[in-house]
Amino acid sequence: MTYRAEYIWIDGTEPTARLRSKTKVLADGAELPDWGFDGSSTNQAPGKASDCVLRPVFTCPDPIRGGDDVLVLCEVLLPDMTPHKTNTRAQLTSVAERHADQESWFGIEQEYTFFKDGRPLGFPVGGFPAPQGFYYCGVGADEVYGRDIVEAHLDACLTAGLAISGINAEVMPGQWEFQVGPGGPVEVADQLWIARWLLYRIAEDYDVSATLDPKPVKGDWNGAGAHTNFSTRAMRSGYEPIITACEALGEKADEHIAGYGAGIERRLTGMHETAPWSEYHYGVSDRGASVRIPWQVEAEKKGYIEDRRPNANCDPYVVTRLIVGTCCEALEKAGQV
C-alpha cells in the first residue's frame, strides 16, 4: 500500500514569490522524508549548483485526492541544511520564539480576484460591469461570480483542517475573501500558504485563475489586501497596550510598508478604503486608516487591532514577523506584557 504526499514550497520569484509543488509516493506508514528539487528552475539556485532541499514543516489531509494522501508544506534549505535566503519562515520562527510569552494571535483576511480569458470574472468582453456598490456580500447571478469555486475551496480548507473562519464576496466583481485564524504567527502563516495553494489548485478545475494582484483593475475599483488582525495577551486584557502597539507601528511605518507586498503604492492611494502608503495614522472604526481599532474594542477597552496595509500578495511570514517584532518589543519596553 502507498500514499501520496504533495510537497509544497515557496519559490524565489521576485518581487512576489510563487508556490510550487510536486508529488512523492511513499510506502504506507512511511514518515515524510526531506526531499529535493532543481532550484535553477525556481529562481533559487544557479545551474552549476542547483540542488535545494525541502524539509516538511506542516502537514494536513489532502482534500483533493482524499484517502491517506497529504499536503506537505516545506521550508527550503541549502544542501548544508541551513535556511535558503528565500526561507522567510525561518526568519519568523526566531522572532516568534523570542516573544512567545506574549501569546500573539493573528487573523488574516485574504482577498483575491478570479480571472478568466484575461479579465476579472463577471467583467463583460470589451467593457465594464455596473459600478461598485452591490457586489460586496452580494447574492444573485448579476452580482456574484465564482461562488461555486469559492464554496469548493471552503470545503477543501475545512476538510484539510485549516482554521478558515469565514468567506465573503468583495467589492469588485470576481473578487472574494477568506479569513484564516485566529492562531499564532507561524501557524496562521503556514495555513494561509496552504489555503492559497488549494485556491489555485481548485480554480484549475474550473479553468479559472486566481490572482493576488493588489490592484487587478485600474481606475475606480477596489484593490485586494490581506488585512491583518493582531493582539497579544496584554492587548486582549487592556486598552493601553493597544495604543502602544498602534504608536509603535507608526514609528516603523516605512519598514512595514516595504515588507507588506510588491505594488503597495498602487493599492494604498488614500481612496477605496485605504490610507496613503506614504502616511500613517490609526483610528477607531476608520477603514481609511492605516490601522483600525474596532469600535467594540474601544468600548470594551480591550481586544485587537487591524493593520489594513498588507497587500493580498504579501508574504504572511514577513507580515507576522514585522508585527510581532515591532509590537511585542514596544510592549515589553513599556512594561505592558
Side-chain angles (χ1 to χ4, degrees):
M1 298 291 292
T2 60
Y3 73 99
R4 291 165 291 186
E6 190 71 17
Y7 277 57
I8 300 167
W9 73 97
I10 301 150
D11 77 2
T13 301
E14 295 181 346
T16 302
R18 293 173 175 266
L19 284 165
R20 309 277 183 143
S21 70
K22 61 177 182 173
T23 305
K24 191 171 188 65
V25 178
L26 295 163
D28 188 33
E31 295 186 2
L32 295 167
D34 290 351
W35 203 12
F37 68 95
D38 172 16
S40 69
S41 296
T42 63
N43 303 302
Q44 287 169 298
K48 62 182 180 181
S50 62
D51 288 334
C52 291
V53 178
L54 295 173
R55 170 158 293 173
V57 293
F58 176 80
T59 305
C60 64
D62 184 339
I64 297 173
R65 288 171 168 154
D68 294 328
D69 296 335
V70 293
L71 302 179
V72 186
L73 183 65
C74 300
E75 283 188 321
V76 177
L77 307 177
L78 296 168
D80 64 2
M81 298 302 158
T82 59
H84 191 277
K85 65 180 181 180
T86 61
N87 184 347
T88 54
R89 187 183 192 274
Q91 299 169 38
L92 165 61
T93 53
S94 62
V95 174
E97 290 168 2
R98 188 183 318 141
H99 299 290
D101 61 330
Q102 294 197 41
E103 298 178 10
S104 296
W105 289 356
F106 283 88
I108 300 180
E109 305 169 21
Q110 177 68 73
E111 295 178 343
Y112 60 92
T113 309
F114 288 131
F115 267 71
K116 186 174 178 63
D117 299 327
R119 61 185 184 277
L121 205 61
F123 274 53
V125 177
F128 292 90
Q132 296 184 160
F134 300 105
Y135 306 111
Y136 173 71
C137 294
V139 61
D142 58 341
E143 296 179 6
V144 172
Y145 306 90
R147 191 186 294 276
D148 49 351
I149 312 173
V150 171
E151 292 290 344
H153 176 249
L154 175 60
D155 288 346
C157 288
L158 293 174
T159 300
L162 304 183
I164 300 294
S165 50
I167 59 171
N168 61 269
E170 267 302 334
V171 177
M172 191 179 78
Q175 193 177 71
W176 290 81
E177 174 187 298
F178 64 86
Q179 302 96 36
V180 178
V186 178
E187 173 190 8
V188 161
D190 283 346
Q191 295 197 28
L192 181 57
W193 277 115
I194 290 290
R196 285 175 172 179
W197 186 90
L198 283 169
L199 177 67
Y200 301 144
R201 173 61 187 83
I202 289 168
E204 279 183 25
D205 294 339
Y206 296 82
D207 196 26
V208 168
S209 62
T211 177
L212 305 184
D213 190 303
K215 188 68 174 180
V217 180
K218 295 180 181 179
D220 193 19
W221 300 96
N222 273 36
H227 301 155
T228 301
N229 301 288
F230 168 74
S231 69
T232 65
R233 182 181 61 251
M235 294 166 68
R236 295 188 292 272
S237 301
Y239 199 65
E240 287 187 8
I242 288 171
I243 299 302
T244 298
C246 290
E247 293 285 346
L249 288 169
E251 292 172 5
K252 294 188 176 181
D254 290 346
E255 180 183 353
H256 282 247
I257 286 293
Y260 278 4
I264 200 164
E265 71 283 350
R266 293 190 286 120
R267 172 176 153 264
L268 297 186
T269 62
M271 300 177 65
H272 305 109
E273 299 181 304
T274 69
W277 68 271
S278 57
E279 301 176 11
Y280 176 87
H281 76 279
Y282 64 90
V284 176
S285 196
D286 184 359
R287 282 181 163 75
S290 310
V291 172
R292 179 179 68 93
I293 301 173
W295 69 268
Q296 69 270 30
V297 171
E298 184 191 43
E300 297 174 3
K301 301 303 179 184
K302 62 181 180 180
Y304 67 98
I305 58 176
E306 177 194 41
D307 193 332
R308 297 181 58 79
R309 297 170 295 170
N311 270 352
N313 63 351
C314 71
D315 180 343
Y317 294 134
V318 174
V319 171
T320 56
R321 172 177 59 81
L322 288 171
I323 293 176
V324 167
T326 294
C327 295
C328 289
E329 286 176 11
L331 291 167
E332 185 177 299
K333 186 177 180 180
Q336 297 172 339
V337 297

